[in-house]
Amino acid sequence: MARNDPVIKIDKLFGLRNTDRPERLPLGALTLAENVDVDDSLTLEIRESPVTLSGYAGLRYLYATEDQRRLFGVRGEDLTQFDAQLNAAVLASGLGAGDYHFTELDDWVFFAGPTQGIIRNGEVIPLAVPPPDTPAVVVLPGSGRLAAGLYQVTSVAQLPDGRESAAPAAAWVEVPEGAALRITAAPGPVYMTPVNGEIFYRAFESTGGPVDVGEIENWSIPLEPEQYQRGGVPPGVEVIEFHDGRLFAARGDTVFFSEVYWPHLFGPQDYFCLHGAVRVLKSTREGLFIATDRALYVYTAEESLVKLAGIGVPRGYPAVRDAESRTVYCLTHEGVMAFPPLTALTGDKYRFDSGQWASVSWVDNRGFRRLVITTQGQSNLGVNRYDR
């Protein structure tokens, strides 16, 4: 027997065991590195060249719904939807130029920026529903069977999409025994309280003309308390997010929140203020993650605000959420952070100049999910991609 067994060198394998990829290039093969990628084994490979797509010129942001079935974007001042072949269709024009943020509730997609609205079944409808004026009420003595006492009258506007507005402050009237009320209200449901009562019930449906109410009938539909003397979405909000049945909307250092299951109605005291301008609102399993240009916070289910770190984020869209785990990945001045729990994923600190704009998004490629960060302006952020 030979002292050393012979050695057979195999250059490559064929069939299922062939792991060679023709797009790979040996190290040192490039003199000018343009349009190349580094795969997960740190090998250079060619990637597809950029392709100019019609309808994308002027786009500042794209939003894909969590089911990946719809794609929207704002191009200039046009709200645009793209189909599976990336053909563009303008849904609304004249929105106003600026940064827009999106969120969704079932099939409704909400957007905010210079203009706020809702995309529903391919149609854009306003997010704010202005309340009608307080009804005009005249007492008609001896014309009815109302009991003597104090009555309150208010009304709401009803939109074709089924939403109702807030109810304005009620008209208060003192009524003598046996009188009636002549009520003139804007078109929509009109609500009244029983004598000396506090709960409003639907009395009739106004068409805009005067209606005489001479007795209390079998009123059974109450006015929801969340509707009374509430306002619409505050003007100028830019960042929005649904969390625990409420719509949260930020303007500057203030975060407003809607009534539960009434995303278009906001109470006069339903807000809180933070340190710095709000740039991120993301719903997570631990609460609402909030990032400003000065700090990171979480708004918990107990409605308490907890400061996570004194770290700021740049302008634009510096955070993205994984739909399955509801984990947020956020670009900060201290690197890329994940929440919950708050975890540093990089060891670098980044410098962003005033006005720096950044975007963070997921890209799925060959079975890997990569976090891709793009910036516009001056910073020390290079090419950083992190696998989940």
Side-chain angles (χ1 to χ4, degrees):
M1 178 181 294
R3 180 171 298 182
N4 295 316
D5 293 334
V7 177
I8 300 176
K9 182 179 180 181
I10 300 175
D11 293 329
K12 65 172 60 177
L13 297 173
F14 297 94
L16 296 177
R17 297 185 181 275
N18 180 18
T19 59
D20 190 29
R21 291 182 2 209
E23 64 268 21
R24 284 183 174 176
L25 299 173
L27 293 175
L30 303 175
T31 57
L32 180 63
E34 291 184 354
N35 198 40
V36 297
D37 203 353
V38 179
D39 67 11
D40 300 286
S41 62
L42 300 181
T43 303
L44 293 173
E45 64 179 47
I46 300 173
R47 65 183 178 189
E48 295 182 2
S49 300
V51 178
T52 301
L53 299 173
S54 61
Y56 278 69
L59 274 174
R60 189 166 180 81
Y61 181 69
L62 286 171
Y63 175 79
T65 54
E66 291 193 349
D67 59 9
Q68 301 294 307
R69 297 178 59 185
R70 291 174 293 169
L71 181 65
F72 303 97
V74 178
R75 180 180 54 183
E77 298 188 6
D78 295 339
L79 178 62
T80 306
Q81 182 171 2
F82 298 89
D83 62 17
Q85 288 72 42
L86 300 180
N87 299 311
V90 176
L91 301 181
S93 300
L95 297 184
D99 291 343
Y100 282 81
H101 290 78
F102 292 75
T103 187
E104 58 188 282
L105 177 65
D106 298 329
D107 290 335
W108 292 32
V109 176
F110 294 68
F111 63 90
T115 302
Q116 296 83 38
I118 305 171
I119 306 170
R120 177 175 176 264
N121 298 328
E123 177 186 5
V124 177
I125 57 179
L127 175 55
V129 183
D133 294 332
T134 299
V137 182
V138 177
V139 179
L140 304 176
S143 300
R145 295 188 295 178
L146 293 177
L150 186 65
Y151 292 81
Q152 301 179 59
V153 183
T154 189
S155 65
V156 299
Q158 194 165 36
L159 271 65
D161 56 48
R163 290 181 297 158
E164 288 188 351
S165 73
W172 295 59
V173 289
E174 191 75 35
V175 176
E177 187 72 28
L181 296 178
R182 178 163 294 170
I183 303 171
T184 304
V190 176
Y191 292 83
M192 285 181 57
T193 62
V195 60
N196 300 323
E198 296 182 354
I199 299 177
F200 291 88
Y201 293 92
R202 183 175 296 191
F204 62 91
E205 191 84 17
S206 173
T207 58
V211 174
D212 292 349
V213 177
E215 61 180 336
I216 301 296
E217 301 178 357
N218 296 322
W219 298 342
S220 60
I221 302 177
L223 177 70
E224 297 293 338
E226 294 84 358
Q227 289 181 267
Y228 188 60
Q229 287 192 284
R230 297 299 192 269
V233 58
V237 298
E238 295 181 349
V239 186
I240 57 174
E241 178 74 356
F242 268 105
H243 178 70
D244 282 353
R246 299 180 188 267
L247 178 64
F248 288 78
R251 180 186 64 202
D253 64 352
T254 306
V255 177
F256 306 89
F257 51 91
S258 73
E259 299 291 342
V260 178
Y261 305 126
W262 295 86
H264 59 290
L265 299 182
F266 289 73
Q269 298 179 340
D270 295 340
Y271 67 91
F272 53 87
C273 296
L274 302 166
H275 181 52
V278 177
R279 291 175 174 170
V280 174
L281 297 174
K282 293 293 181 182
S283 178
T284 76
R285 60 184 183 274
E286 297 293 334
L288 180 70
F289 176 78
I290 307 171
T292 75
D293 60 348
R294 304 288 185 86
L296 307 179
Y297 300 87
V298 60
Y299 185 76
T300 68
E302 294 77 21
E303 298 187 355
S304 64
L305 188 64
V306 179
K307 185 175 180 179
L308 299 173
I311 305 171
V313 300
R315 291 179 57 244
Y317 312 97
V320 65
R321 182 185 62 216
D322 180 74
E324 182 177 347
S325 66
R326 298 188 71 187
T327 300
V328 173
Y329 299 84
C330 185
L331 175 64
T332 75
H333 293 282
E334 297 291 331
V336 178
M337 299 284 181
F339 179 83
L342 188 65
T343 307
L345 301 182
T346 58
D348 298 330
K349 294 185 178 181
Y350 300 138
R351 182 196 72 252
F352 301 107
D353 290 348
S354 176
Q356 172 73 42
W357 191 94
S359 177
V360 178
S361 59
W362 287 118
V363 172
D364 294 308
N365 183 29
R366 294 176 180 170
F368 290 91
R369 167 160 280 194
R370 302 179 185 275
L371 191 66
V372 178
I373 302 170
T374 58
T375 62
Q376 182 183 47
Q378 297 297 320
S379 75
N380 66 343
L381 175 62
V383 178
N384 289 270
R385 304 190 312 168
Y386 305 98
D387 291 339
R388 185 179 65 173

